[in-house]
């Protein structure tokens, strides 16, 4: 089966307060470690007067890269809890930075772990997370007598129409989940008695938000 992954479509923010310390979480979609570095720098500038900007990020469809930083907090009390939230949420290509403003009361190791994890969770909860689906763009070249059959089959399957061209022939382009492409093509071929020319126009990742298709 094609690899469906959860991604951050729109990064969110979260804030919690623990014993007067403020923990501010910021979430972003990232594609590379350069993106991570740029996002960290942005957060450091935004909260320039804070002492700690702890972070974690995951990269790759299978989280091939996953790293975290305590940024001066006791080892294992900040970056790792943030990373655990990311991994537990099954989100890919994402970075979470949690900034702490010390409130004057020590939280202890357990308190820090809970606070950083809770803030990260709050940030993700306030983000828009979408399932990114690998798809294929398929173009069907046919005559006017077979348009209806193609549109009927595609409509029943809920496939998104990307384009249509009408001249002496008709070209219909649909976005189809990758794992369903072969079966769909076979069904169209059978329904139109082999009179439809089919061209694979390549990969197109997409997601659905409020019944709207979003292309990547």
């Amino acid at each position: 089966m094609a690899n469906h992954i959860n991604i951050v479509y729109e990064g969110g923010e979260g804030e919690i307060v623990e014993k007067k310390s403020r923990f501010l979480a910021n979430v972003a979609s990232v594609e590379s470690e350069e993106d991570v570095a740029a996002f960290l720098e942005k957060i450091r500038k935004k909260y320039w007067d804070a002492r700690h900007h702890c972070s974690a990020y995951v990269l790759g469809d299978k989280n091939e890269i996953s790293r975290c930083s305590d940024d001066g907090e006791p080892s294992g009390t900040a970056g790792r809890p943030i990373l655990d939230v990311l991994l537990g949420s099954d989100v890919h290509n994402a970075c979470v930075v949690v900034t702490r403003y010390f409130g004057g009361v020590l939280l202890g190791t357990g308190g820090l772990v809970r606070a950083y994890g809770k803030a990260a969770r709050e940030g993700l909860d306030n983000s828009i997370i979408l399932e990114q689906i690998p798809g294929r763009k398929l173009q069907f070249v046919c005559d006017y007598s077979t348009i209806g059959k193609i549109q009927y089959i595609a409509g029943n399957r809920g496939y998104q129409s990307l384009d249509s061209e009408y001249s002496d022939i008709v070209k219909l382009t649909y976005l189809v989940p990758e794992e369903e492409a072969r079966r769909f093509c076979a069904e169209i071929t059978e329904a139109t008695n082999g009179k439809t020319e089919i061209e694979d126009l390549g990969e197109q990742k997409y997601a659905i938000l409020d019944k709207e298709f979003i292309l990547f």
Side-chain angles (χ1 to χ4, degrees):
M1 180 177 176
N3 189 26
H4 295 219
I5 64 172
N6 296 321
I7 62 166
V8 175
Y9 177 65
E10 185 176 305
E13 301 177 359
E15 177 178 349
I16 68 164
V17 177
E18 292 288 340
K19 295 182 180 178
K20 299 183 180 180
S21 281
R22 294 174 65 209
F23 295 83
L24 309 173
N26 284 266
V27 181
S29 172
V30 290
E31 296 294 333
S32 66
E33 293 190 309
E34 288 76 18
D35 288 349
V36 173
F39 182 56
L40 277 166
E41 184 61 23
K42 175 183 175 181
I43 298 302
R44 289 191 180 104
K45 288 181 178 179
K46 182 178 181 180
Y47 305 110
W48 58 270
D49 55 341
R51 181 179 297 179
H52 304 290
H53 303 285
C54 306
S55 62
Y57 62 91
V58 289
L59 294 171
D61 289 357
K62 297 181 180 179
N63 291 338
E64 290 86 351
I65 298 175
S66 61
R67 296 196 173 96
C68 60
S69 168
D70 294 311
D71 195 35
E73 292 283 32
S75 179
T77 63
R80 186 68 221 188
I82 299 170
L83 181 59
D84 286 344
V85 170
L86 265 178
L87 295 173
S89 301
D90 195 28
V91 176
H92 301 257
N93 299 313
C95 179
V96 178
V97 181
V98 179
T99 299
R100 181 191 183 193
Y101 284 95
F102 184 53
V105 179
L106 296 175
L107 299 182
T109 300
L112 287 172
V113 169
R114 288 189 294 273
Y116 276 104
K118 185 177 178 181
R121 179 72 266 169
E122 187 78 6
L124 282 173
D125 285 346
N126 291 330
S127 302
I128 298 178
I129 308 296
L130 298 180
E131 180 187 28
Q132 187 181 77
I133 304 167
R136 303 211 70 81
K137 292 186 290 185
L138 301 175
Q139 185 179 82
F140 302 90
V141 182
C142 61
D143 58 34
Y144 283 83
S145 67
T146 56
I147 296 174
K149 293 178 181 179
I150 296 173
Q151 291 175 329
Y152 177 78
I153 294 171
N156 276 350
R157 292 183 175 275
Y159 295 156
Q160 174 76 355
S161 174
L162 296 179
D163 192 23
S164 57
E165 298 178 28
Y166 296 89
S167 57
D168 55 326
I169 58 173
V170 180
K171 295 181 180 180
L172 303 174
T173 304
Y174 286 95
L175 177 59
V176 178
E178 188 169 11
E179 65 266 27
E180 298 177 16
R182 182 175 296 180
R183 182 175 61 180
F184 180 51
C185 290
E187 190 171 354
I188 294 298
T189 297
E190 181 179 357
T192 61
N193 296 316
K195 296 179 180 180
T196 300
E197 179 184 335
I198 303 173
E199 183 177 357
D200 186 337
L201 300 181
E203 179 181 323
Q204 176 67 68
K205 294 181 180 180
Y206 70 97
I208 302 172
L209 176 63
D210 296 330
K211 297 183 180 180
E212 294 292 328
F213 281 73
I214 299 167
L215 307 183
F216 297 98

